[in-house]
C-alpha cells in the first residue's frame, strides 16, 4: 500500500504514514494501491484499476459511533455490522448465533454476543479513522 499523501510505501495496517505523518486516505494525491498520481475527482486509477470513488464513499461514513454500534450488537447480534455495511457478515452472525443458541439451550449467547459487540466497536473505530473495511473483516 502507498501513502495517498506522499506516495511512500507503507504497511496495510499503518494508521499514520511514518514519512509524512498523514493518515492514509485523508488526502488523495496518489493511488493507495500503486502510488500513481491521481486527480481528486478520478473514479478509478488508470494504472492499476482500483476504484477510488469507493474509497471516498467509505471515508464519508466516518459518522459511525463505536458505542452505538456496540449497543446495537448487544440488542441484536450482528445488527451493528449490518448498519456499518457488512450486511452479509451481520446476517451470518445473527443466524449462526440463533442456531448455536438452539443447540446449546442459549448458553452460546454468552460467547457470541460479546464477540459481536467487540467486533462492531472495533470495526466502527477503524471506520472512524478512515480505514477501509472489507465485507468479512473482523476486529
Amino acid at each position: 500500500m502507498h501513502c495517498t499523501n506522499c506516495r511512500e510505501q507503507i504497511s496495510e495496517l499503518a494508521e499514520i504514514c511514518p514519512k509524512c505523518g498523514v493518515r492514509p486516505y485523508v488526502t488523495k494525491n496518489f493511488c493507495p494501491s500503486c502510488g500513481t498520481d491521481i486527480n481528486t475527482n478520478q473514479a478509478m486509477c488508470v494504472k492499476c484499476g482500483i476504484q477510488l470513488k469507493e474509497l471516498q464513499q467509505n471515508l464519508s461514513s466516518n459518522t459511525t459511533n463505536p458505542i452505538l454500534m456496540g449497543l446495537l450488537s448487544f440488542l441484536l447480534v450482528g445488527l451493528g455490522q449490518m448498519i456499518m455495511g457488512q450486511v452479509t457478515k451481520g446476517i451470518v452472525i445473527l443466524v449462526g448465533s440463533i442456531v448455536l443458541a438452539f443447540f446449546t439451550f442459549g448458553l452460546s449467547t454468552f460467547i457470541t454476543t460479546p464477540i459481536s459487540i467487540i467486533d462492531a466497536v472495533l470495526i466502527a473505530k477503524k471506520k472512524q479513522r478512515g480505514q477501509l473495511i472489507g465485507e468479512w473483516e473482523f476486529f
Side-chain angles (χ1 to χ4, degrees), residues 15 29 35 42-43 45 49 51-52 56 60 87 101 106 114 133 136-137:
E15 293 182 25
N29 301 329
Q42 271 182 270
C45 175
Q51 296 293 320
L52 300 170
Q56 291 172 353
S60 67
V87 178
I133 306 299
W136 290 97
E137 185 171 337

Side-chain angles (χ1 to χ4, degrees), residues 2-29:
H2 294 269
C3 175
T4 55
N5 184 53
C6 68
R7 193 187 294 176
E8 181 75 16
Q9 186 152 1
I10 59 175
S11 167
E12 290 282 333
L13 303 175
E15 293 182 25
I16 297 176
C17 175
K19 182 178 179 187
C20 67
V22 174
R23 290 187 187 278
Y25 305 112
V26 173
T27 59
K28 297 168 192 74
N29 301 329

Side-chain angles (χ1 to χ4, degrees), residues 18-95:
K19 182 178 179 187
C20 67
V22 174
R23 290 187 187 278
Y25 305 112
V26 173
T27 59
K28 297 168 192 74
N29 301 329
F30 304 101
C31 174
S33 180
C34 66
T36 304
D37 292 331
I38 59 170
N39 182 328
T40 56
N41 296 326
Q42 271 182 270
M44 179 181 96
C45 175
V46 293
K47 184 174 181 187
C48 69
I50 188 172
Q51 296 293 320
L52 300 170
K53 288 295 182 183
E54 182 179 292
L55 298 177
Q56 291 172 353
Q57 289 171 354
N58 230 347
L59 290 174
S60 67
S61 64
N62 286 342
T63 58
T64 307
N65 184 344
I67 295 171
L68 178 62
M69 293 304 110
L71 179 63
L72 291 173
S73 285
F74 173 75
L75 296 175
L76 182 64
V77 175
L79 183 59
Q81 287 83 352
M82 289 184 236
I83 290 175
M84 288 186 290
Q86 296 179 312
V87 178
T88 309
K89 175 182 148 186
I91 292 171
V92 168
I93 290 172
L94 176 63
V95 171

